[in-house]
Amino acid sequence: MDRITIRRPDDWHVHFRSGAMLKTVVPFTARQFGRAIVMPNLVPPITTAKMAAAYREEIRAATPADADFTPLMTCYLTDDTDPADLVAGHRKGIFTAAKLYPAHATTNAQHGVTDVAKIHRVLGAMEEHGIPLLTHGEVTDAAVDVFDRERVFIERVMEPVLERFPALRIVMEHITTSHGAEIVRRNKTRMGATITPQHLLFNRNALFQGGLRPHMYCLPILKREEHRRALRKAAIGGETCFFLGTDTAPHLRHLKEADCGCAGVFSAPVAISAYLHVFEEENALDRFEGFASLHGPAFYGLPPNEKKVTFVRKSADVPKEFAVSKDSELICLFGGGQVDWSPAREDKGLVA
Ligand code: NCD
Ligand code: ZN
């Protein structure tokens, strides 16, 4: 198969940041995807409906006029989240979901939740009003090995939340282990999971390939090969609980290539090509539309996009870097290399 036409995909997990960075990265996502779930881990975090509405305007202003793109906003949960503001924001169509960052688990998670017991009232309100909970599924306990943090989160946090809030809908974001895939499957009537391209493409060896590779560092961190295999099986199997979420997470190059480099892989420009590479390797291109364009909307109770996009098997160079300002840039997944799937010419405006 050298050509694939599918409904326009959505990206159920992106980081746009703000300011110059946002202006640089939004067009990449907006040109390829119909909608995106926008993460709220800004400085300061998006914690109220008012902040989310203003942030949505900033994203709209940076969206190219010819792109048909809708940002879907999320609320950053803290120990002090006001359930009434969250529910009102959801009613008004400002908040699509709310995100649980365990305090200090990842980039800008310092205001995250210190103990899930502190947000039981908020989770109860979300359960009652059908607001999905999105989780960064890692514990931060220093005694727990960084490669085990997802598994331990499932035991210590996810299982009890599932039990206490039996109707709460949950997306376990960017799953990285077989344990993540399994708990989502077991609860598929009300759980979903996003899977990133990097966790399908690489195992943890990629972090040390010939030396230390800061651009391969993201959270949750890449895992062992057996987990990559389990994630591939989940992504390509046609199971509706698994859907596309790139977790494209831009950080300026000098902040990644540093003493204490930031976590996050910037993948937006090559996102769809990267997933297509995986589905082709697995001989599963016929299942790509489900993963990219159908399962996510079904979980969120939204219609799939009407428009179609076509990709062709044609290699294209990926720029080594993308400028953000005169003297700062981003390094992209596959930067300086190639992708083997590209948008068909008639789909003007797509990246690559
Ligand atoms: C994300 C970021 O940079 O905001 N980083 C990452 O490694 N994925 C945060 C996150 O989603 O964990
Ligand atoms: Zn993320």
Side-chain angles (χ1 to χ4, degrees), residues 12-14 37 39 74 97-100 133-137 150 158 170-176 184 192-196 220 243-245 247 300:
W12 300 99
H13 187 126
V14 304
I37 286 274
M39 289 297 138
T74 58
K99 178 79 186 274
L100 166 62
L133 173 70
L134 317 183
T135 64
H136 183 103
E150 181 168 303
M158 191 61 89
I170 303 176
V171 180
M172 188 151 178
E173 298 292 340
H174 42 51
I175 54 168
T176 63
V184 171
T194 50
I195 309 181
T196 78
F243 35 88
L244 188 159
D247 192 22
Y300 280 96

Side-chain angles (χ1 to χ4, degrees), residues 15-280:
H15 298 270
F16 283 152
R17 318 303 188 199
S18 61
M21 177 73 92
L22 177 145
K23 288 197 180 79
T24 305
V25 301
V26 162
F28 294 117
T29 296
R31 290 209 160 98
Q32 295 180 81
F33 296 98
R35 293 163 289 203
I37 286 274
V38 181
M39 289 297 138
N41 60 333
L42 269 57
V43 183
I46 304 297
T47 51
T48 65
K50 193 169 167 214
M51 291 173 89
Y55 187 33
R56 187 166 64 180
E57 285 316 307
E58 188 184 359
I59 296 164
R60 283 179 177 154
T63 300
D66 60 344
D68 179 9
F69 174 70
T70 306
L72 303 174
M73 310 310 289
T74 58
C75 175
Y76 183 117
L77 297 175
T78 71
D79 289 353
D80 304 315
T81 297
D82 173 9
D85 182 70
L86 173 56
V87 169
H90 181 251
R91 279 228 177 89
K92 284 189 208 143
I94 299 169
F95 284 134
T96 296
K99 178 79 186 274
L100 166 62
Y101 289 103
H104 307 292
T106 187
T107 307
N108 300 333
Q110 55 274 25
H111 303 286
V113 174
T114 59
D115 177 353
V116 171
K118 300 211 166 143
I119 58 162
H120 277 169
R121 238 164 38 86
V122 178
L123 296 181
M126 290 171 64
E127 179 181 42
E128 187 186 337
H129 295 275
I131 306 173
L133 173 70
L134 317 183
T135 64
H136 183 103
E138 290 191 288
V139 293
T140 54
D141 183 343
V144 176
D145 191 279
V146 68
F147 294 98
D148 295 331
R149 288 182 176 186
E150 181 168 303
R151 179 177 58 73
V152 175
F153 178 89
I154 290 167
E155 291 161 15
R156 291 189 191 168
V157 181
M158 191 61 89
E159 301 272 18
V161 165
L162 284 163
E163 195 169 312
R164 192 177 188 108
F165 303 97
L168 183 61
R169 298 176 60 69
I170 303 176
V171 180
M172 188 151 178
E173 298 292 340
H174 42 51
I175 54 168
T176 63
T177 62
S178 59
H179 314 288
E182 268 320 305
I183 190 159
V184 171
R185 261 190 203 108
R186 272 208 308 281
N187 295 279
K188 63 184 175 197
T189 54
R190 61 169 170 133
M191 273 191 96
T194 50
I195 309 181
T196 78
Q198 65 268 24
H199 292 99
L200 295 169
L201 287 162
F202 308 113
N203 62 37
R204 64 192 195 176
N205 291 343
L207 285 159
F208 311 109
Q209 191 87 51
L212 197 55
R213 298 287 186 165
H215 298 288
M216 286 288 124
Y217 175 56
C218 66
L219 288 171
I221 200 161
L222 295 171
K223 302 294 194 301
R224 285 176 182 276
E225 178 62 6
E226 69 196 68
H227 295 295
R228 186 181 76 103
R229 289 257 129 233
L231 297 175
R232 281 197 170 210
K233 202 163 158 235
I236 65 160
E239 296 169 271
T240 57
C241 52
F242 299 112
F243 35 88
L244 188 159
T246 59
D247 192 22
T248 178
H251 293 277
L252 293 179
R253 176 184 190 151
H254 73 274
L255 297 176
K256 287 199 61 77
E257 299 174 5
D259 244 12
C260 182
C262 296
V265 172
F266 172 54
S267 60
V270 297
I272 295 177
S273 308
Y275 284 113
L276 279 170
H277 179 86
V278 171
F279 276 70
E280 182 180 34

